[in-house]
């Protein structure tokens, strides 16, 4: 009788355990198993269009303001020393009423631990993988320029730009420098640069503010720009070249 009771109890436990397992779902795979590579998006035939606003400061009270559109197209692949890269065609126009005109050709690549963009023949280390907000890296590691340490400010967080919200974005701090006179009051130079990348899209915003201020005469007391540049790119459209005749 005791053996029969124990046998029934064992069967009951097996039934309960089996029923419990039916409620357990497999964990969803990560959206980006490489932790960041899909943010530096180099899918073939991908295009991105930007509204560009730029101010070039030539001297005190002398500046040029430019507004135009920029388009990037991820083009054919090529290999150098076993490393695969893609050509990036950059086209510009004043507004949507004009045809795109080729401005320059850059290239870009994603390797095991980093992403590199070759801009005007200067290779820049844009990102490192896996993305981690504690990481720091040298933007100029692959060129002869002075070292420039970058870092991630956020990763896989929403980013809102105008009426658009990108649910998964990462913000890269390219530079955050300010210099002052010895008295610590007047700012003489400001270099603030950030880039924002969205998952499966690529760059969605670039904002550079590199300004040198007047330090002599009356203008020194008013933080007036003497030279430098303000530059902003904002994504306005993206897709693939075979979509709707693009």
């Amino acid at each position: 009788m005791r053996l029969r009771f124990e046998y029934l109890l064992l069967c009951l436990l097996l039934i309960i355990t089996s029923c419990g397992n039916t409620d357990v779902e497999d964990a969803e795979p990560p959206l980006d198993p490489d932790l960041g590579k899909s943010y530096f998006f180099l899918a073939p035939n991908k295009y991105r269009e930007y509204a560009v606003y730029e101010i070039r400061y030539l001297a005190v009270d002398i500046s040029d303001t430019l507004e135009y559109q920029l388009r990037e197209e991820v083009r054919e692949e090529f290999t150098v020393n076993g490393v695969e890269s893609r050509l990036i065609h950059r086209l510009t126009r004043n507004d949507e009423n004009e045809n795109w005109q080729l401005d320059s050709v850059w290239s870009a690549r994603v390797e095991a631990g980093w992403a590199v963009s070759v801009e005007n023949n200067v290779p820049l280390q844009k990102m490192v993988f896996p993305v981690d907000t504690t990481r720091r890296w040298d933007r100029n590691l692959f060129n002869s320029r002075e070292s420039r340490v970058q870092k991630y400010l956020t990763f896989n967080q929403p980013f809102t730009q105008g009426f658009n919200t990108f649910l998964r974005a990462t913000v890269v701090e390219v530079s955050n420098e300010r210099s002052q006179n010895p008295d610590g009051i007047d700012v003489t130079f400001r270099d603030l640069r950030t880039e924002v990348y969205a998952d499966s899209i690529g760059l969605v915003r670039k904002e550079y503010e590199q300004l040198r201020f007047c330090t002599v005469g009356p203008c020194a007391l008013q933080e007036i720009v003497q030279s430098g540049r303000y530059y902003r790119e904002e994504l306005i459209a993206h897709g693939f070249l075979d979509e709707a005749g693009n």
Side-chain angles (χ1 to χ4, degrees):
M1 189 71 178
R2 177 178 177 81
L3 291 176
R4 184 179 178 184
F5 174 77
E6 291 178 349
Y7 174 76
L8 291 175
L9 179 60
L10 177 61
C11 291
L12 180 61
L13 290 174
L14 290 174
I15 292 173
I16 293 174
T17 303
S18 176
C19 291
N21 288 338
T22 61
D23 293 332
V24 177
E25 298 180 358
D26 292 335
E28 293 185 3
L31 295 171
D32 181 8
D34 293 316
L35 292 180
K37 291 184 181 180
S38 59
Y39 286 69
F40 196 82
F41 199 56
L42 289 179
N45 297 318
K46 179 67 178 179
Y47 74 86
R48 293 176 285 266
E49 296 178 0
Y50 304 92
V52 178
Y53 179 78
E54 181 178 4
I55 305 176
R56 300 174 182 173
Y57 296 93
L58 309 176
V60 175
D61 295 329
I62 301 177
S63 63
D64 288 335
T65 300
L66 305 174
E67 293 186 68
Y68 57 95
Q69 293 181 351
L70 170 68
R71 177 181 172 106
E72 288 187 343
E73 297 177 353
V74 181
R75 291 292 192 162
E76 58 267 31
E77 185 179 79
F78 65 95
T79 302
V80 177
N81 297 327
V83 179
E84 296 179 348
S85 300
R86 286 200 172 272
L87 294 177
I88 309 296
H89 287 200
R90 291 166 55 84
L91 307 96
T92 59
R93 65 184 183 184
N94 288 323
D95 54 47
E96 60 276 3
N97 297 317
E98 295 185 358
N99 294 324
W100 293 104
Q101 301 293 326
L102 183 64
D103 176 78
S104 58
V105 178
W106 291 358
S107 68
R109 64 182 185 267
V110 174
E111 300 185 48
W114 54 76
V116 175
S117 176
V118 182
E119 305 176 0
N120 299 319
N121 296 319
V122 178
L124 302 172
Q125 187 176 212
K126 293 284 195 166
M127 302 178 71
V128 293
F129 310 115
V131 175
D132 187 324
T133 54
T134 65
R135 299 194 68 176
R136 306 290 185 270
W137 69 96
D138 183 3
R139 175 183 177 87
N140 293 323
L141 180 65
F142 301 112
N143 63 59
S144 59
R145 294 179 176 177
E146 182 181 352
S147 177
R148 166 67 60 186
V149 176
Q150 295 189 171
K151 66 179 181 180
Y152 293 111
L153 296 181
T154 66
F155 175 58
N156 208 29
Q157 298 295 319
F159 177 80
T160 299
Q161 180 170 258
F163 296 104
N164 297 317
T165 296
F166 304 95
L167 297 181
R168 296 185 298 275
T170 183
V171 179
V172 176
E173 182 184 86
V174 179
S175 180
N176 184 10
E177 293 185 1
R178 297 173 175 83
S179 61
Q180 296 178 313
N181 285 331
D183 57 16
I185 298 176
D186 298 325
V187 176
T188 61
F189 181 75
R190 185 161 65 223
D191 184 0
L192 308 177
R193 287 178 277 168
T194 57
E195 296 175 354
V196 184
Y197 298 85
D199 186 24
S200 300
I201 296 177
L203 183 74
V204 298
R205 182 180 180 86
K206 176 192 290 188
E207 188 169 19
Y208 287 5
E209 184 179 19
Q210 297 170 284
L211 306 176
R212 190 169 298 279
F213 297 90
C214 173
T215 58
V216 178
C219 67
L221 304 176
Q222 304 176 48
E223 199 173 283
I224 293 178
V225 177
Q226 178 173 303
S227 63
R229 179 183 183 228
Y230 175 81
Y231 181 88
R232 183 181 69 231
E233 283 181 23
E234 294 181 321
L235 186 76
I236 55 175
H238 70 95
F240 289 89
L241 296 177
D242 55 357
E243 293 179 352
N246 286 304

